Amino acid sequence: AVFQALRVPQPIATLDLRIDYLRPATPDRDVLAQAHCFKVTKHVAFVRGFAFHDNVDDPIAHAAGTFMLS
């Protein structure tokens, strides 16, 4: 998500990554993910995302991350 949000490709490093598991995934089913980089500053990018089976409104997990830009 961060790379897609950058105007020019550059190295990034993970500063913080938190994953909250909300419920178990169902065995033998695909797990889909959706992530969005919602803020990019001069030095840091902020991302949040969800893992789900069929509906993003019924998530399996939620993630939030911050990434340092070079």
Side-chain angles (χ1 to χ4, degrees), residues 5-69:
L6 296 175
R7 294 174 194 243
V8 177
Q10 61 182 289
I12 63 172
T14 304
L15 291 173
D16 183 58
L17 180 61
R18 177 188 172 108
I19 302 172
D20 295 315
Y21 296 96
L22 306 173
R23 65 181 179 88
T26 304
D28 299 320
R29 291 193 57 201
D30 291 339
V31 175
L32 305 173
Q34 181 179 59
H36 175 67
C37 183
F38 63 93
K39 177 74 173 177
V40 178
T41 69
K42 185 176 178 182
H43 298 289
V44 181
F46 301 86
V47 175
R48 66 183 126 208
F50 296 92
F52 56 96
H53 284 304
D54 298 314
N55 184 351
V56 71
D57 294 326
D58 186 22
I60 296 165
H62 171 263
T66 55
F67 301 87
M68 183 175 66
L69 308 175

